[in-house]
Amino acid sequence: MSIFGSNDLKGKKIAIVATDGFEQSELEKPKKFLEGEGAETHVISLKSGSIKGWDEKDWGDSVDVDKVIGEVKVADYDALVLPGGQINPDVLRTKPEVVSFIGEFVRSGKPVAAICHGPWTLIEADAVRGKQLTSWPSLKTDVKNAGGHWIDETVVVDGNIITSRNPQDIPNFNEKIKEALVGQK
């Protein structure tokens, strides 16, 4: 617990699935927030070692990978966070093991939070049909074509799916993730 956080999420484990090209702030800020609230986070990727972020207009910092996608099970986690950036979700949505993990997570009923371009992976997992969500504006047509209802709001919650638009929305995005986890049985 820090002076800025609480222990409200103590005992919760959060999976953050990302690869090279994730938007720096969309991985780091939710991770820091959730840890500050007492949760344990694991960065899960396609390879061990580290992955490199994208910081607005150029490559950013690297983040250590805790687990490789083939080593994890949905049962081990209480929530899933999907950072955006253009490169990261575009690569992840081409990997069957990632799409399968995300689809299973959505079907589990546990919170799944995607920001910016992150909903591309939800579309690939056929998880947006009949759902209301938001994203980076350029995904609006993709969401509609996948049977979703795109809304231009800071954060949209529909069932266990939490979506947000961009880095400026991260504080509200973080709070909705926390609310979903605190309300979890």
Side-chain angles (χ1 to χ4, degrees):
M1 182 170 104
S2 75
I3 59 172
F4 302 107
S6 70
N7 274 327
D8 289 346
L9 301 181
K10 187 169 177 55
K12 300 290 186 182
K13 282 177 68 176
I14 316 302
I16 302 171
V17 176
T19 193
D20 292 315
F22 64 87
E23 181 64 44
Q24 197 84 42
S25 63
E26 294 172 359
L27 186 149
E28 289 182 343
K29 288 182 178 180
K31 182 179 189 319
K32 183 178 179 182
F33 173 82
L34 293 165
E35 289 171 350
E37 294 295 321
E40 178 183 347
T41 65
H42 289 166
V43 174
I44 300 163
S45 193
L46 304 171
K47 61 179 183 165
S48 60
S50 65
I51 53 175
K52 194 157 186 71
W54 186 263
D55 194 3
E56 295 182 21
K57 295 181 180 174
D58 203 351
W59 290 102
D61 299 327
S62 292
V63 171
D64 290 336
V65 171
D66 298 301
K67 305 257 183 188
V68 174
I69 192 71
E71 302 172 341
V72 297
K73 297 181 298 221
V74 170
D76 296 336
Y77 295 96
D78 298 293
L80 172 62
V81 175
L82 300 166
Q86 289 177 313
I87 301 166
N88 166 60
D90 196 38
V91 170
L92 292 176
R93 69 183 176 159
T94 68
K95 305 299 180 189
E97 64 274 35
V98 173
V99 174
S100 176
F101 183 75
I102 292 168
E104 186 180 338
F105 223 105
V106 170
R107 290 187 299 278
S108 77
K110 297 175 186 181
V112 176
I115 186 166
C116 195
H117 287 77
W120 261 343
T121 58
L122 295 175
I123 290 168
E124 196 65 34
D126 194 24
V128 305
R129 191 175 315 281
K131 298 281 188 184
Q132 293 186 1
L133 63 151
T134 195
S135 65
W136 186 256
S138 66
L139 274 66
K140 179 179 180 177
T141 301
D142 297 336
V143 168
K144 288 180 175 183
N145 287 342
H149 306 284
W150 191 86
I151 301 170
D152 186 14
E153 290 183 8
T154 306
V155 180
V156 175
V157 179
D158 190 336
N160 64 320
I161 297 178
I162 302 162
T163 52
S164 199
R165 301 175 302 190
N166 58 54
Q168 288 72 38
D169 298 339
I170 291 173
N172 292 334
F173 181 63
N174 288 342
E175 285 300 326
K176 290 297 181 185
I177 297 168
K178 179 181 174 181
E179 282 177 28
L181 284 163
V182 168
Q184 211 176 41
K185 300 289 181 232

